[in-house]
Amino acid sequence: MLLIRVGDEVVVPPGTPNIEQWLAKVGDRRLHGSEMRPTSDATTVRTRGGEVVLSSGPFAETTEHVAGYDLIECADLDEATEIAAAHPVAHFGSVEVRPLHE
């Protein structure tokens, strides 16, 4: 799983590849992916003492937020990091590579 993270203020450097170029390079190794709505649209759910507590916005205060994800299928970590490094957001945000449980 690639977790696509960006800060509140995004500045895309000149020459950054676009998402269509990245998708063409990744091909069928990308199983699914989506951009996420902003954190202002988030709802955090907690259960405390048997009560469900809802709050607006994200749970954690951070300088970056998850802006999207891509589920990829790779032979190993080297291939996954190569794909992540080529992602457009890696040029101005970050791409976290996190394996799923099998």
Side-chain angles (χ1 to χ4, degrees):
M1 173 76 70
L2 303 181
L3 296 175
I4 312 304
R5 299 177 184 271
V6 297
D8 289 334
E9 302 207 12
V10 174
V11 177
V12 180
T16 298
N18 63 43
I19 195 69
E20 289 81 17
Q21 293 167 316
W22 182 77
L23 289 169
K25 180 177 181 175
V26 173
D28 62 0
R29 293 177 292 179
R30 180 179 185 257
L31 304 177
H32 193 267
S34 181
E35 184 177 357
M36 297 174 77
R37 296 192 49 91
T39 58
S40 59
D41 290 347
T43 299
T44 299
V45 181
R46 296 180 194 85
T47 303
R48 300 290 186 269
E51 296 292 322
V52 176
V53 180
L54 304 178
S55 59
S56 297
F59 176 71
E61 293 292 327
T62 63
T63 58
E64 285 190 328
H65 63 272
V66 178
Y69 71 93
D70 288 287
L71 182 60
I72 59 174
E73 187 169 44
C74 300
D76 54 30
L77 180 59
D78 290 339
E79 184 180 10
T81 56
E82 179 183 326
I83 289 171
H87 195 286
V89 174
H91 295 264
F92 57 86
S94 65
V95 179
E96 178 181 337
V97 177
R98 189 176 305 181
L100 300 176
H101 283 285
E102 293 185 21

